[in-house]
Amino acid sequence: TDLEVTHWWTSGAEAAAIRVISEGFQKSGNTWVDGAIAGAGGVARPLITSRITGGDPMGATQFTHGQAMRELIEAGFMRDVTEVAEAQGWKDQIFPQSLLDSCTFEGKLYCVPSNIHSQQWLWLNNAVFTDNGLSVPQNWDEFVAAAPKLREMDIIPLAQGQQSWQKQLMFNVLMVSIGGPELFERVYAGRDADYAAGSDVAKVFKAAAEARDLMEGSNVQAWNEAANLMISGRAAGQIMGDWVQGEFTQAGMTAGEDFSCLPGLGVNEYITAAGDAFYFPKVDDPEIIAAQDVLAGVIVSPETQVEFTKAKGALPVRRDVELRDPTPCMEKGMAILKEGHIVESINTMVSPDTVGRVTDLMIEFFADPSFSPETAQAEFAEIIATAD
Amino acid sequence: MSQSGKPTGLFKNLSAKIAAVPMVLTALVVFVGCSVWTIVYSFTNSRLLPSTKWVGLDQYERLWGTRRWLISIENLAIYGILMLILALVLGFLLAALIDQKIRFEDGFRTIFLYPYALSFIVTGLVWQWLLNPEFGIQHAVRSLGFETFTFDPLYNTNTVLYGVLIAGLWHTSGLVMCLMLAGLRGIDEDVWKATKIDGIPAWKTYLLVVIPMMRPVFITTLVLITSAIIKLYDLVIAQTGGGPGLASEVPAKFVFDMMFVSQNLAQGFAASSMMLVAVIVVIIPWAYLEFGGKKHG
Amino acid sequence: MQPSVSIQNLKLDFGSVSVLRDLNLDIGQGEFLVLLGSSGCGKSTLLNCIAGLLEPTEGSIHIKGQNVTWAEPSDRGIGMVFQSYALYPQMTVEGNLTFGLKNAKMPKDEIARRVARAAEVLQIEPLLKRQPAALSGGQRQRVAIGRALVRDVDVFLFDEPLSNLDAKLRADLRVEIKRLHQTLENTMIYVTHDQVEAMTLADRIAIMKGGVVMQLDTPSVIYNKPANKYVADFIGSPSMNFFDTRLANPQSPKVVIAGKDVSLSGYEFTRPGFSGDVWFGIRPEHIVTGEAADAAPTQFEVRAELVEPMGAETLVWSSLAGTSLRFRVDGQMPVADGDLIRVGFDPARASIFDKAEELRV
Amino acid sequence: MQPSVSIQNLKLDFGSVSVLRDLNLDIGQGEFLVLLGSSGCGKSTLLNCIAGLLEPTEGSIHIKGQNVTWAEPSDRGIGMVFQSYALYPQMTVEGNLTFGLKNAKMPKDEIARRVARAAEVLQIEPLLKRQPAALSGGQRQRVAIGRALVRDVDVFLFDEPLSNLDAKLRADLRVEIKRLHQTLENTMIYVTHDQVEAMTLADRIAIMKGGVVMQLDTPSVIYNKPANKYVADFIGSPSMNFFDTRLANPQSPKVVIAGKDVSLSGYEFTRPGFSGDVWFGIRPEHIVTGEAADAAPTQFEVRAELVEPMGAETLVWSSLAGTSLRFRVDGQMPVADGDLIRVGFDPARASIFDKAEELRV
Amino acid sequence: MADVTANMQRPSPAHASGPKPRRAFSRNNIVIYGILVVLAVYYLLPFYVMLMTSLKGLPEIRMGSIFAPPMEITFEPWVKAWSTVCTGLNCDGLSRGFWNSIKITVPSVFFSIAVASVNGYALSMWRFKGANVFFTILIIGAFIPYQVMIYPIVILLREIGLYGDLGGLVLVHTIFGMPILTLLFRNYFSSVPEELFKAARVDGARFWTIYLKIMLPMAVPIFVVAVILQTTAIWNDFLFGVIFTRPDNYPMTVQLNNIVNSVTGVKEYNVNMAATLLSGVVPLTIYFLSGKLFVRGIAAGAVKG
Ligand SMILES: Nc1ncnc2c1ncn2[C@@H]1O[C@H](COP(=O)(O)OP(=O)(O)OP(=O)(O)O)[C@@H](O)[C@H]1O
Ligand SMILES: Nc1ncnc2c1ncn2[C@@H]1O[C@H](COP(=O)(O)OP(=O)(O)OP(=O)(O)O)[C@@H](O)[C@H]1O
Ligand SMILES: [Mg+2]
Ligand SMILES: [Mg+2]
């Protein structure tokens, strides 16, 4: 059967990863109809929701987990795959547990997690430091301390793309890493506005203001262009998710030797265990339903997971798979996962609307040096007060 | 010869009415219907899906308390006014130059018109490129030896709109030129002769005689440019993504992001309703004057 | 006296098309010259050359003794009135009149004086504040004339100024222009293809055809002694009746029409002694009927084929010697289709042209 | 006999503007009726109502006894010829002629027969394969007539068919239309604002003004006995001279002009015994000069103020009793501005209208 | 017209005295051509850069200026953009989208113009009561941002069962093309002499006959304008193309977006530029070939109020 799968994995590594799934799926005798659309937020999401609500659903679709899908599930547009999960005993294998939790609605499982991506990393180009007679920083504070020297050498301390999600990512990474996981969860999950306005969070905003200074001169749009600044030595570091590794690898750099990675910015080594997931719209055709079940199985199957995570540079969603040729950074991540140093993703804690408002605030804050951290914090607290 | 009675109102011009059904349906169902639908749902708490949980004016209160929305409106106003003026001026200037019975008229006209054949997405991408300080115009000029030359409008909050404007003008002014050229060619030769005999200099003739005579052309042009300005979205997306900061956000993008990224339909509906109201307030009186009472021919 | 406008060897080509060919024309001070000719004969082109709106290929134009061949239109001391009025539509009448003056930075009171005078002459005082769109055709045309008037020019150029107007208005404005000329005593060059206008307005008429002047003379000479068949045929409505015949000139000149000898003893020959194939032309209005016919030197009997009553007179279409013969009878005279009518004419009033060159003999 | 076209109580408003007001008109079978009136008087509107192109607000239209007020234009048995020709530009002449017939699904051979006949009558056989753009104005107009002709209609409607043509062609086509009418003997309704056309073509003329018919009669009656001052003024070029005077009618009717008593004993009164303020009108062509003036019942001496030579005759503008007086003299008579001329007229040929209602007395 | 210029600039004949006539390169002309050339550079620059970049290899792009012509011309980026560049799993470049775009553009252009021309004709020739109200609504519709309409239209199409169909997309294009095109046709037909319409009615032609036999053949210039405008608009459309179709029908613009926005290591600018140019080939060709007709068509009535 033909199964149309929409996703926004169009870059080289991503495409290679999706090929793993599609090949695994096609082994079952079904056909994978690829519906790739570049650009997650702007283009793919309206398309996917329109298709589903418009009565012309695809067979399966990639989506970030979280509250984004909740309404579609509530409205009965999505199929639950509880049966497949139970039959294949996902509960025991899928790790961490939160992955399944965020797919669960009223006791039923509505999505299949495919991989884990963590965001809280500071990446550093070692050569930039050593060449300038600096030691490679081991945490955020050292990094900040090294910045003035870098500036003298006409090097941008911290690279950063201009896209809005990167600003949001940056801020929330600082929140987890500088403020700590409790703070993060108290603000978003607990929606404690008073706390958000308090002195603990103020530290985070101070750090954000520092980061803002460090990023000055980083005039690129995309995250990988920012990574390129770093690779080429024009910038020293970048705060970005683990997917950025692929860029280093492609540039022929080796983790540990040519570049360093500091999870939790070397301060609070906690990472988000969120990632991508596949959802299955409700359809009538039994053949398609069967194909959906097959795909669900293929995605979490150990064979797929090994190849897939390798291709994508992500962490697997099962505890029982061994990474093949993991980089030191991936091993660090795996270790943190195993320790359970996990924070929930912002997407599962608050609605996309709230995320959007935080994002807008951060866009402004990071773009405008005269935007004081105090004002930003006050506005942030207000958003938290009305968050949902 | 038939001896029929006076046909009743409905059957008069029956074919014409049948033929107009698509138009009537479009006008009523799509433009009116969908607008009303949008307005109605702007009073709800719709998120990803339309819901009927009424919240009164909450969405509007929030909208007008959102800085991004206010910035978007301000940006559109600045961009719109500048675009209107500059597109008309540039389009007219081009048309006037081309109308001087020049050689290679076809060539010049094609050069000025071709950008219109390209999409806003392409326009935005190319100009993003050209205005990129790393390898665009600034880079090229610097490599000629002007080390301090700075031209990076897209990376400066204060100038980013002008960067977008450069691209927008590049795209649209050719069409304006075409319309203006058609208008100029439609002007009675004798009027030109009369001004020559009166000894009026050319610029004065254009300003005081020709332009006032081209009113219908200006109106058509105005409709075309204005409708494009209000919809401004693709260009911004491709060129700046709304940045730096919120410096090049526009209402259409606000609506889109609200509806599909933040998944807050109602907020998007509220924003679009405001745009709609603004359009109607401006357009209806004008459209009534222009198209309402007009006789044939 | 020096001519007001003098045109020498004027040639103008549009690409490969010669529109004016070696044209010479002298127009006296205060003269009213009408350029008459059928459509496309180059009248407007010539006028535009004089105005400086077209540059001639060759030749020169002098106005008041100055060579203005290459001067700017506004520096030539001319004013021009167009068929389409060419008023500035968004300005008031006053604005139209003063636009050129203001542009020339004339003092305000002088402008006001001139406008007042022009408005008075043209009787458009009550219209000064109106826009052209709110004027009738005749009023517009008057404003267009006013625009030339306020500039106090030596030479007025008119390009078919009345042809957009209806017959009645045309007749009225014709008289006004004539009066204007008598008042102002400027030189006027007036293009038309309406011969009534030409005849009534002109001191002299230049009949043009294909870029050359066929005849330049007073209306009466043009009407009574057309220099060639083209002019004879062109002037007069209905046009001249032509008989294809032979001029025998042994001792006393005569032609034969419908078998009858017609003696030309009273005819003023331009080329005495000519003999050969000729066109013998006689105007419909020189054909008389009734008692007058009996008294005429030459008489025929013809059958009325079509009768067109026109009020004051009636036009009768008949034929003679295989040629259609038109003539007029008094409007009160009862004529019906098919009636036999006795007609006569005086050969002295005829116009005769040789067939080879179609020039007057 | 039943009238061919009968219009009863026709009213038509455009919004709040009444263009036709309670109009009644009967047109006989085979009659040539001309609707004459100045611009905007509603002529075209009336014609469009008859054709079915406009729907009247009130009233009815009968053609050949059938009530066609609401019938489709093509079902009325009418053909229409427009001022702008309105030929279908992308079809050949033949296509233009056959378009209506094909629409009516007429058999092919019948179409061919009709086209052949129309082409013959109008002498456009050689043009059949051409496109309208390749025709001259006169030829186009003939094709436009042909389009009505092939449809074999009872009533021909013409809306200023000749006013786009130049004077010469206009005269020729006028004659052709007259001939056509004589051949076909259809009813023809012909709109024009050119009075020469009206006078020469019409069996009867309806003079319209502001949506009502002012007078409906034969050309000769309209010319000689206009029913009211409007008609008198409208017909004739140059128009009638009017004197503002008083008709005294104690025993023998008379008026006073320039101090002289003018006896109206020869005048045919419409309203005998009338007395009061009147307009005394006399046509320029009824004013005689020279010997004839001496013989006329009433004589004056006037000074020529403006002389318009028009070839066959000369128009003289002068004034009498404070009123402008126009008259014609023979083209051969030498008249110059300022000459004193003796004029006379026969009061029997005058037209007199009461000043209150401006109706003929 | 060109001939006139040539003549107006002819130098004066030897025997004519007085001030010299204007020459071919008077100051006036230098200014005119100067401005035109400067502006032409502004308009051509992006095209030039796109073209040059698309002919360079990646290393050269990284090194050199974007304005420098390629040292070594390579057509590889073009080949890659057309046939091998990947979007997701499909590695057949733009070629697939090209045919999809044609499949979308042809019927959409056809239907939108057909409907709009009938509207314009009905509005100008057969004015019925209320027609102008609908027309005014249409014109206002031209100003409504598409985003406002997407959601309700998705619902609308779902209700009539056209969602996801090519038919649905054609319908959407027809609807959104209607305002401007109707305005265009209405203005044009208003300039057709009313007498022609009357003559046809007297000849027994009814609504459709008049439209098909009389008006349509006369409206060629405005049809050219409409076809050009509409082809460009539909070919360049992204939003509707992606929302109202399925992946196997995605137009070229969607693929272009995928190629350009795919984030992989170094951006392949040359391929992106080649893809951009390729996606613009059709509208560009149309403009290059029929620019003259376009201007003429606009002059023929599109701009008459
Ligand atoms: N710009 C031009 N280019 C080429 N030929 C032209 C141009 N202007 C006029 N002509 C030609 O020159 C000839 C004379 O034109 P002109 O306008 O002087 O005629 P006209 O006597 O004024 O006629 P009308 O009575 O119709 O106004 C015509 O044959 C016309 O086609
Ligand atoms: N569609 C219309 N709406 C409103 N008024 C109209 C319309 N058509 C004509 N009129 C008015 O009706 C009056 C009569 O018009 P009509 O065309 O019948 O005049 P006409 O006698 O044919 O004039 P002309 O000699 O100029 O053709 C005019 O005052 C005109 O302004
Ligand atoms: Mg002319
Ligand atoms: Mg009329």
Side-chain angles (χ1 to χ4, degrees), chain C residues 166 168 174-175 178 182 196 199-200 223-224 233 239 285-286 306 308-312 317 332 337 349, chain D residues 168 174-175 182 196 199-200 223-224 233-234 236 239 285 306-312 317 332 337 349:
Chain C
D166 73 26
K168 200 143 193 88
R174 203 170 64 211
V175 175
K178 179 109 195 179
Q182 292 177 345
V196 175
M199 297 300 276
T200 53
Y223 178 79
N224 291 308
D233 192 35
S239 53
E285 51 270 32
H286 294 160
L306 189 94
E308 288 196 283
M310 303 174 79
W317 298 64
Q332 304 297 313
D337 297 359
R349 295 186 120 183
Chain D
K168 207 148 190 86
R174 203 170 64 210
V175 175
Q182 291 174 349
V196 174
M199 298 300 275
T200 53
Y223 179 79
N224 291 308
D233 192 32
F234 189 79
S239 51
E285 51 271 34
L306 191 94
V307 176
E308 288 196 283
M310 304 175 79
W317 297 65
Q332 305 297 315
D337 295 359
R349 293 187 121 183

Side-chain angles (χ1 to χ4, degrees), chain D residues 39-40 42-45 83 159-160 191, chain E residues 195:
Chain D
S39 189
K43 306 179 296 289
S44 300
T45 307
Q83 172 176 355
D159 194 355
E160 309 199 15
V191 163
Chain E
E195 292 189 344

Side-chain angles (χ1 to χ4, degrees), chain D residues 11-240:
Chain D
K11 281 189 196 163
L12 192 141
D13 306 330
F14 282 123
S16 59
V17 187
S18 275
V19 175
L20 301 178
R21 324 165 180 212
D22 207 18
L23 197 141
N24 288 281
L25 203 60
D26 278 353
I27 301 150
Q29 178 58 44
E31 188 176 7
F32 199 123
L33 180 89
V34 171
L35 297 174
L36 181 65
S38 58
S39 189
C41 70
K43 306 179 296 289
S44 300
T45 307
L46 174 57
L47 210 66
N48 281 327
C49 280
I50 298 174
L53 296 167
L54 281 176
E55 289 182 5
T57 314
E58 266 177 49
S60 65
I61 298 165
H62 290 73
I63 294 180
K64 294 225 155 182
Q66 299 260 339
N67 183 341
V68 296
T69 320
W70 307 109
E72 279 291 317
S74 53
D75 299 338
R76 298 183 177 212
I78 50 116
M80 193 157 173
V81 180
F82 298 90
Q83 172 176 355
S84 64
Y85 323 128
L87 298 184
Y88 311 131
Q90 71 283 1
M91 301 183 190
T92 60
V93 168
E94 189 166 10
N96 269 281
L97 295 181
T98 57
F99 182 65
L101 306 181
K102 283 187 185 150
N103 274 332
K105 307 233 182 317
M106 188 174 281
K108 279 222 170 108
D109 50 349
E110 172 68 9
I111 293 182
R113 209 184 51 71
R114 291 204 185 180
V115 169
R117 198 199 56 162
E120 198 203 316
V121 171
L122 297 167
Q123 301 171 359
I124 50 173
E125 287 112 331
L127 312 177
L128 284 177
K129 297 292 170 216
R130 289 212 214 151
Q131 302 244 323
L135 301 181
S136 74
Q139 290 170 331
R140 283 180 210 186
Q141 198 49 273
R142 253 176 280 183
V143 176
I145 295 172
R147 202 162 52 178
L149 207 56
V150 290
R151 297 187 56 241
D152 228 357
V153 292
D154 307 308
V155 182
F156 268 75
L157 307 175
F158 292 88
D159 194 355
E160 309 199 15
L162 305 181
S163 56
N164 271 5
L165 302 173
D166 72 27
K168 207 148 190 86
L169 208 51
R170 203 145 64 207
D172 292 348
L173 276 180
R174 203 170 64 210
V175 175
E176 276 187 38
I177 291 177
K178 181 111 195 177
R179 284 218 173 100
L180 195 69
H181 180 234
Q182 291 174 349
T183 319
L184 301 174
E185 300 188 335
N186 297 36
T187 308
M188 292 193 173
I189 306 179
Y190 186 107
V191 163
T192 183
H193 58 234
D194 182 277
Q195 38 173 306
V196 174
E197 269 172 38
M199 298 300 275
T200 53
L201 288 172
D203 291 330
R204 281 196 300 164
I205 297 177
I207 307 243
M208 289 181 66
K209 184 193 173 193
V212 292
V213 174
M214 301 294 281
Q215 187 170 9
L216 170 63
D217 220 316
T218 61
S220 130
V221 172
I222 293 227
Y223 179 79
N224 291 308
K225 295 209 178 348
N228 52 45
K229 183 170 178 246
Y230 178 80
V231 174
D233 192 32
F234 189 79
I235 293 291
S237 168
S239 51
M240 196 178 262

